Amino acid sequence: MRLFDSVSKEKINLNQKEVNIYLCGPTVYDLSHLGHGRSSVCFDLLHRVLLALNYKVNFVRNYTDIDDKILNKMQESNKSLEEITELYIKKYESDMASLRILEPSKKPRATHFIGQMLELIKDLDKRGFVYKLQDGIYFDTSKDKAYLSLSKKPLDNTKTRLEQEVSKKNPSDFVLWKFDENFYESEYGKGRPGWHSECVAMILGIFKNTLDIHAGGADLFFPHHENEAAQCRCAYDKNLAKIWLHNGFVNINGEKMSKSLNNSFFIEDALKSNLGEVLRLYLLSVHYRGHFNYSLQDLELSKKRLDKIYRLKKRLELKELEDFPIHSNFKSQISQNILEVLQDDLNISKALALLDDFIINANLSLDKNQKDIKEKLQDEFKEVAKIFGLGFLDPVFYFQHGVSKEEIKCIEEQILQRKLAKENKEYTKADLIRDNLKQRGILLLDTKNGTIWEKDNV
């Protein structure tokens, strides 16, 4: 497996068979947006590929459950920190399940690692990297000779997260511990952690050795990941991670998605009119390092691509499938070919092209009624599904998605009327019922097990 390291700008071989991965998760003060979905889907693909290649994967994704944004939400909503964070963690996990994101090995919360954060600050203090101001304890970036070695950002172009920190020694300095009487006791005074210390403490508390892969959105490269690396280096004389992976920005209507621009598109909204697998395939369709431009037209193209996957699944007479971590031995030629191209820094365009070829060739083989081909194709389909995280739903459910309960009841009544008409040899009436349903966007399919229907997506 070769992955592009954001620091060295080179592809690095992943040779060991046990891999520790840490993905920066959400700050849980609001609904999850497409940026969260894009990052999760991209690195879920990495997770799946590694499992399919028989790596042992320790995948950790955190929750930032204490932050200025959460405190602001507390004031706006008059709710406690726990009420807010529990609500949005629950909603986030529901969205991730819809996108078929594999469960991480661990999901640490920042509030569970306060002791480790204070130990980190104490170790930095012993080495002379911190100083005290009226509002908190700060990291002195001028003492770190390797500062900005990750992002290569010019020192005179560094910006702080909080512009009002005017009394700092250096513009790039960042807070490690914010004084706040409402929170945690410490030898420095009651307070709460700074954002940049939270992930370092969680990583060092969970992984004893240097992290293999640190992943996250490109917006985190500076200052968040830069400041994480600085703390680990200065406190313990070691690198925080061997490989840094960053997925590209999400653009909405040509503009970078941003809360400040009020153009954040929530996953929950996208799922109101689309199945999670449709959104997953769409978010996967651009290489993880590329910037992603969201458009409804491209989303519809992904829906049509997924339709072809489910048409094949329907022909193969497969229902719901089991996902990882069910043990799989990926033996088929198609899965081997797909995994081979994905081993090259997750080359998704080539992998999806191979998936398209598989669907075409599988349908051609089924058309020829080749002996024993269906069972072989069923096994291949299951392997491919696990790699991409696509094709797990019952095809009947998939093709009926988006029809209301009231409409379903009406359709089923019409199917029954058509059945009775055919039994009474009233074929004109039966054809009229079928044609009326077709005009309403409902297609009837007569099978050996009776008549089934699906929503016409053409």
Side-chain angles (χ1 to χ4, degrees):
M1 186 86 191
R2 300 196 312 149
L3 296 167
F4 184 86
D5 175 37
S6 299
V7 178
S8 66
K9 309 299 183 189
E10 295 178 350
K11 291 180 183 179
I12 296 178
N13 289 322
L14 199 62
N15 296 318
Q16 71 276 22
K17 295 307 288 184
E18 181 171 354
V19 182
N20 295 329
I21 302 174
Y22 183 93
L23 173 62
C24 279
T27 300
V28 284
Y29 71 100
D30 206 344
L31 297 173
S32 49
H33 51 65
L34 286 178
H36 296 130
R38 168 78 168 145
S39 182
S40 296
V41 165
C42 287
F43 297 119
D44 182 69
L45 178 63
L46 172 64
H47 192 177
R48 289 173 177 276
V49 170
L50 290 172
L51 289 174
L53 293 170
N54 291 316
Y55 284 84
K56 180 180 179 182
V57 183
N58 304 308
F59 194 104
V60 173
R61 184 191 67 221
N62 78 295
Y63 291 115
T64 295
D65 60 344
I66 184 164
D67 183 88
D68 289 336
K69 294 175 182 177
I70 299 172
L71 269 59
N72 291 338
K73 195 80 169 189
M74 289 168 61
Q75 292 180 339
E76 294 170 8
S77 63
N78 201 28
K79 292 182 178 179
S80 70
L81 183 140
E82 290 76 16
E83 286 177 308
I84 291 167
T85 56
E86 286 297 331
L87 170 66
Y88 290 114
I89 286 174
K90 184 177 180 180
K91 287 181 176 292
Y92 176 84
E93 295 200 341
S94 174
D95 288 343
M96 294 304 104
S98 296
L99 293 175
R100 201 162 290 281
I101 306 299
L102 295 176
E103 272 289 291
S105 311
K106 293 183 179 179
K107 297 180 286 188
R109 303 186 185 192
T111 53
H112 296 174
F113 284 76
I114 300 299
Q116 288 91 331
M117 294 172 201
L118 288 167
E119 283 298 316
L120 171 64
I121 296 168
K122 190 186 300 182
D123 291 336
L124 288 167
D125 193 3
K126 288 176 182 177
R127 291 187 163 208
F129 286 98
V130 309
Y131 61 90
K132 181 178 180 181
L133 291 178
Q134 187 174 0
D135 64 339
I137 306 298
Y138 284 79
F139 182 91
D140 187 345
T141 57
S142 67
K143 299 285 185 68
D144 177 15
K145 303 307 178 186
Y147 191 66
L148 301 178
S149 59
L150 250 71
S151 63
K152 311 296 191 299
K153 198 175 181 73
L155 187 60
D156 59 359
N157 196 31
T158 57
K159 292 182 180 180
T160 61
R161 195 171 184 225
L162 302 177
E163 296 294 337
Q164 66 266 31
E165 296 167 356
V166 293
S167 59
K168 297 185 299 182
K169 290 183 178 180
N170 311 286
S172 54
D173 293 352
F174 54 92
V175 67
L176 300 170
W177 188 255
K178 298 181 180 184
F179 297 140
D180 190 328
E181 288 297 319
N182 296 313
F183 286 95
Y184 306 99
E185 295 282 359
S186 81
E187 63 182 78
Y188 298 102
K190 289 192 76 173
R192 52 192 172 86
W195 179 43
H196 302 307
S197 295
E198 293 179 354
C199 283
V200 186
M202 285 186 272
I203 291 169
L204 296 173
I206 294 169
F207 301 107
K208 303 309 176 186
N209 299 315
T210 297
L211 192 61
D212 295 307
I213 299 171
H214 195 323
D219 57 319
L220 299 178
F221 199 13
F222 182 88
H224 189 48
H225 291 166
E226 186 75 66
N227 293 346
E228 286 181 22
Q231 291 171 81
C232 182
R233 181 172 55 243
C234 294
Y236 306 115
D237 296 319
K238 68 177 184 178
N239 293 324
L240 185 61
K242 298 174 185 175
I243 301 174
W244 295 81
L245 299 184
H246 294 92
N247 64 277
F249 295 113
V250 174
N251 297 319
I252 305 286
N253 298 323
E255 289 186 300
K256 175 186 167 186
M257 194 184 72
S258 167
K259 290 275 186 180
S260 61
L261 294 175
N262 198 30
N263 67 352
S264 296
F265 194 165
F266 295 127
I267 294 173
E268 185 177 274
D269 292 332
L271 292 175
K272 288 176 182 176
S273 54
N274 297 281
L275 284 165
E277 283 193 14
V278 176
L279 188 57
R280 178 187 176 90
L281 176 55
Y282 181 40
L283 293 171
L284 270 180
S285 62
V286 175
H287 188 265
Y288 77 93
R289 285 192 280 119
H291 296 321
F292 186 91
N293 189 48
Y294 184 89
S295 76
L296 292 177
Q297 294 88 344
D298 290 340
L299 180 61
E300 182 59 31
L301 289 175
S302 288
K303 170 67 169 65
K304 291 178 179 178
R305 194 175 204 169
L306 192 61
D307 285 352
K308 294 177 182 177
I309 294 173
Y310 274 95
R311 292 276 176 218
L312 174 59
K313 186 178 185 183
K314 190 174 182 180
R315 292 191 72 181
L316 293 173
E317 298 180 311
L318 290 168
K319 300 296 184 181
E320 291 186 47
L321 303 180
E322 291 184 317
D323 202 351
F324 285 116
I326 306 299
H327 178 72
S328 295
N329 183 12
F330 288 76
K331 299 181 292 186
S332 71
Q333 189 60 53
I334 180 60
S335 64
Q336 292 299 317
N337 291 344
I338 290 171
L339 288 170
E340 183 178 354
V341 299
L342 287 172
Q343 284 183 78
D344 184 14
D345 196 38
L346 301 178
N347 191 329
I348 191 64
S349 60
K350 286 187 177 180
L352 287 175
L354 288 171
L355 173 61
D356 291 340
D357 289 343
F358 166 67
I359 294 167
I360 293 169
N361 293 329
N363 280 311
L364 289 172
S365 296
L366 289 170
D367 291 343
K368 295 175 182 177
N369 292 315
Q370 294 179 12
K371 188 177 180 181
D372 300 326
I373 193 66
K374 183 176 284 188
E375 185 176 346
K376 174 178 178 289
L377 289 173
Q378 285 176 337
D379 291 339
E380 290 176 345
F381 188 98
K382 292 173 185 177
E383 291 184 4
V384 169
K386 287 186 180 182
I387 294 171
F388 290 103
L390 302 168
F392 287 89
L393 303 172
D394 187 319
V396 173
F397 169 81
Y398 176 84
F399 286 112
Q400 293 182 358
H401 177 72
V403 180
S404 69
K405 291 181 180 179
E406 292 77 13
E407 287 179 287
I408 291 174
K409 184 178 179 182
C410 180
I411 292 165
E412 289 174 347
E413 288 174 353
Q414 291 294 299
I415 290 173
L416 179 60
Q417 291 298 318
R418 179 172 176 265
K419 179 184 177 184
L420 292 172
K422 290 174 74 174
E423 288 174 353
N424 294 328
K425 298 184 179 180
E426 298 175 304
Y427 300 116
T428 301
K429 181 180 179 180
D431 290 345
L432 183 62
I433 292 171
R434 181 198 61 208
D435 294 342
N436 286 339
L437 285 172
K438 186 176 182 180
Q439 287 180 2
R440 290 163 53 189
I442 302 300
L443 300 179
L444 300 186
L445 298 97
D446 294 317
T447 74
K448 62 183 179 182
N449 296 319
T451 300
I452 61 173
W453 62 272
E454 62 184 48
K455 186 178 177 182
D456 184 4
N457 293 297
V458 178

